[in-house]
Amino acid sequence: MTVLTQTIASDPPRTRWGQLGLGLVAMMAISSPQYVWTLFVKPFQSTTGADLPSIQITFSLLIVLQTGLSPLQGWMVDRFGSRLLITVGCLLSGLGWISSAYISGIWGLYLTYGLFCGVGTGIVYVGIVGLMVRWFPDRRGFAAGVVAAGYGFGAILTTFPIDSMIASAGYQSTLVTFGAILGIVGALAALGLREPAAGEVESARPLAAAPSVKDVAPTAMLKTPVFWLLFVMMTMMSTGGLMVISQFASFAKSFGVADTVVFGLAALPFALTFDRVTNGLTRPFFGWVSDRIGREYTMLIAFMLEAASIWMLLQFRDNAALFVLLSGVVFFGWGEIFSLFPSTLTDTFGTRNATTNYGFLYMAQGIGSVLGGPVAAMVYGSTGSWLPVFGLIIAMDAITALLAVFVLKPMRANYLARR
């Protein structure tokens, strides 16, 4: 009995770090449909004959489905379990790439790359984030940041191989090959995931930034001003990052730096790879910071960094080396939204409905994809310049940073005090 007790007491710490590792792998496996999308824009334009705004609807559709269905997907994960749903999501994401290799028209692209990848990545993303905030009540910001980093880091391993394979074998073969590999790898990792058992993580004490709170159902959460402020803030921050992701190749070519050689590498794939590194590192880093100094103060620092780095990117847009380096800083100031917002939401509304609740907040990403994708492309088309688009994003970043400290912080404190 003593040995059994000691085994049970020592196993949960090892178990939850193992779960974190599996979640990280599954997230890495589903990141490429979003983060290397820009490499397929030109080939899809050539195949379908569609203009840039029409092609970019695919990207927005992916994000809208990834986020718009997330409340339902979160509920399904809570109802039927993480393992089954996340496994299906990984397979759907791979199927989206494989099937899009055989399309010939724009609607085929929407129904394959947009539909399957959007639904699949949404199930995986919401399911894993919701699972990790349950496993780590004492390190919510950090744990959410680690798995979100997987989503940012995943394309590091695929950007150069995909860019090279497109050039050598064509985009169709690239989609089939990588769709199969990533779908299978993600599904195998997902098969090892599970929910924490009763009493398994209760001994982990939340830090000051993540106090224990009463659980709030989604219907009650949707009636609170705190949730809607978080929703607006996440929408504004999502817009800028998704604009850069979806339009990166277009504005890099417009600035004349896409094909310039930087440190022996072509600027465009080099920047995309470097951006994945900083986009991944920022998520656990700022999640860890927020566990210690508070979510809102961390938002102020990170969002102001985002605004400043975009402004500097514009100032040095003719210098290819600085353009690449500053693009990495841009993503370091943006990617942390995927650790700060889910941890703030769980701190406020509890863990029992964490997956479903985050599903509702994650819908803000869908609105940001529309504003940063086809809407940004239309603004560029009407003005002939990317400068107005970047100016709007800088303003939204700065406004969101100020809202975090001067509006969200007192509003959230008052809400928690009343409860």
Side-chain angles (χ1 to χ4, degrees):
M1 180 63 72
T2 302
V3 174
L4 179 60
T5 302
Q6 290 174 344
T7 301
I8 293 174
S10 61
D11 186 59
R14 294 198 300 270
T15 299
R16 69 177 189 164
W17 290 104
Q19 290 291 298
L20 188 66
L22 290 172
L24 177 66
V25 172
M27 285 286 231
M28 292 178 72
I30 63 157
S31 68
S32 291
Q34 176 174 329
Y35 285 113
V36 301
W37 158 253
T38 192
L39 297 178
F40 293 107
V41 169
K42 284 295 183 182
F44 280 137
Q45 277 190 271
S46 299
T47 297
T48 63
D51 58 16
L52 179 61
S54 298
I55 289 292
Q56 291 294 8
I57 288 175
T58 309
F59 181 81
S60 296
L61 182 62
L62 183 154
I63 303 298
V64 167
L65 289 173
Q66 183 188 83
T67 59
L69 296 178
S70 52
L72 173 62
Q73 293 164 340
W75 176 84
M76 291 175 66
V77 170
D78 286 336
R79 175 67 177 82
F80 299 106
S82 303
R83 180 180 299 161
L84 172 63
L85 270 296
I86 294 173
T87 300
V88 170
C90 289
L91 293 174
L92 275 177
S93 178
L95 178 62
W97 266 29
I98 294 171
S99 58
S100 68
Y102 301 100
I103 61 94
S104 58
I106 191 66
W107 281 101
L109 184 60
Y110 295 161
L111 294 174
T112 54
Y113 201 118
L115 177 62
F116 291 147
C117 291
V119 173
T121 57
I123 293 172
V124 177
Y125 197 101
V126 172
I128 290 178
V129 171
L131 185 61
M132 292 307 136
V133 295
R134 290 192 180 100
W135 274 108
F136 290 85
D138 53 332
R139 295 182 176 91
R140 283 184 194 134
F142 174 76
V146 167
V147 291
Y151 195 70
F153 272 140
I156 294 173
L157 303 178
T158 61
T159 299
F160 272 106
I162 285 173
D163 185 58
S164 176
M165 190 172 181
I166 289 174
S168 62
Y171 82 95
Q172 291 99 334
S173 295
T174 305
L175 287 167
V176 172
T177 301
F178 280 88
I181 293 172
L182 296 175
I184 292 171
V185 168
L188 290 175
L191 288 172
L193 294 171
R194 69 173 179 84
E195 303 285 339
E200 197 166 8
V201 295
E202 273 70 4
S203 61
R205 296 180 180 179
L207 298 176
S212 298
V213 297
K214 293 181 179 179
D215 294 307
V216 178
T219 51
M221 179 191 71
L222 292 173
K223 298 176 182 178
T224 66
V226 176
F227 169 79
W228 290 107
L229 177 58
L230 286 169
F231 189 91
V232 170
M233 291 171 62
M234 188 167 181
T235 298
M236 290 196 291
M237 287 304 301
S238 295
T239 298
L242 292 173
M243 188 284 291
V244 176
I245 291 168
S246 63
Q247 316 284 1
F248 196 92
S250 298
F251 67 70
K253 291 176 182 177
S254 177
F255 295 158
V257 297
D259 299 320
T260 305
V261 176
V262 177
F263 305 126
L265 301 169
L268 179 57
F270 179 33
L272 291 174
T273 302
F274 181 55
D275 295 347
R276 297 297 78 77
V277 174
T278 58
N279 192 29
L281 288 175
T282 187
R283 302 177 187 206
F285 173 75
F286 277 115
W288 174 82
V289 171
S290 73
D291 284 336
R292 283 150 179 79
I293 71 170
R295 313 298 184 204
E296 294 89 353
Y297 289 128
T298 307
M299 288 179 180
L300 175 66
I301 295 169
F303 300 169
M304 281 299 188
L305 174 63
E306 167 77 352
S309 59
I310 290 179
W311 181 83
M312 291 182 66
L313 182 72
L314 290 178
Q315 306 311 304
F316 297 99
R317 61 185 180 274
D318 297 327
N319 185 313
L322 287 176
F323 182 86
V324 169
L325 294 175
L326 287 169
S327 71
V329 182
V330 167
F331 280 97
F332 191 76
W334 177 72
E336 81 293 320
I337 67 174
F338 301 108
S339 57
L340 296 183
F341 282 103
S343 55
T344 303
L345 189 79
T346 307
D347 292 347
T348 310
F349 300 107
T351 60
R352 178 176 298 175
N353 304 292
T355 307
T356 307
N357 285 345
Y358 183 55
F360 282 102
L361 181 60
Y362 196 50
M363 293 174 71
Q365 174 96 328
I367 299 175
S369 74
V370 175
L371 297 176
V375 173
M378 286 188 289
V379 171
Y380 168 70
S382 63
T383 63
S385 173
W386 287 106
L387 298 184
V389 177
F390 279 100
L392 290 171
I393 289 169
I394 292 170
M396 286 192 291
D397 289 342
I399 290 170
T400 310
L402 296 175
L403 284 173
V405 172
F406 295 107
V407 181
L408 176 63
K409 184 174 176 59
M411 182 183 290
R412 201 162 71 94
N414 290 337
Y415 172 76
L416 292 173
R418 288 196 304 270
R419 295 188 64 238

